[in-house]
Amino acid sequence: MDGNPAYHAIALAAATLLMLPPAVAMLAGWTPPKLASRAAVVPYAWALVCLYANAPLNAVPRMLGAAPGVVAACVAAGLAFSAAAVALLVRAARAAQRGLTTNAR
């Protein structure tokens, strides 16, 4: 087994409590005050969901004592989710910038 399963469970619980509620709230219609428009909120929320996906992908196989190949495959899937999150954050930043420039005129 890779490490102490309690540490992985704590990290998974922390990620669930800190990352998932804001993403779900934004997808349900809440717009944080710092984001200019709804067009910037949606990709940002999906980026948070993609980043959150790393937590169960890394924690659950390790907690279950999966084979190293399974853990490596889950880490690779987590990297794909991270790349998607970066692309979504770039899109959100561009949408926020467009919103700021149109509101300033």
Side-chain angles (χ1 to χ4, degrees):
M1 190 173 312
D2 186 23
N4 187 347
Y7 294 135
H8 297 296
I10 291 168
L12 181 58
T16 301
L17 291 174
L18 295 174
M19 295 179 76
L20 211 49
V24 171
M26 284 187 271
L27 289 172
W30 175 65
T31 302
K34 298 229 178 196
L35 291 177
S37 67
R38 185 77 185 143
V41 171
V42 174
Y44 188 78
W46 281 112
L48 278 177
V49 171
C50 286
L51 289 175
Y52 167 74
N54 282 306
L57 280 172
N58 281 301
V60 172
R62 295 170 198 269
M63 287 169 37
L64 297 176
V70 173
V71 173
C74 289
V75 169
L79 288 174
F81 275 108
S82 295
V86 168
L88 286 165
L89 287 173
V90 167
R91 182 176 174 192
R94 287 183 181 159
Q97 185 64 30
R98 280 193 303 271
L100 288 175
T101 56
T102 56
N103 289 341
R105 291 181 190 173

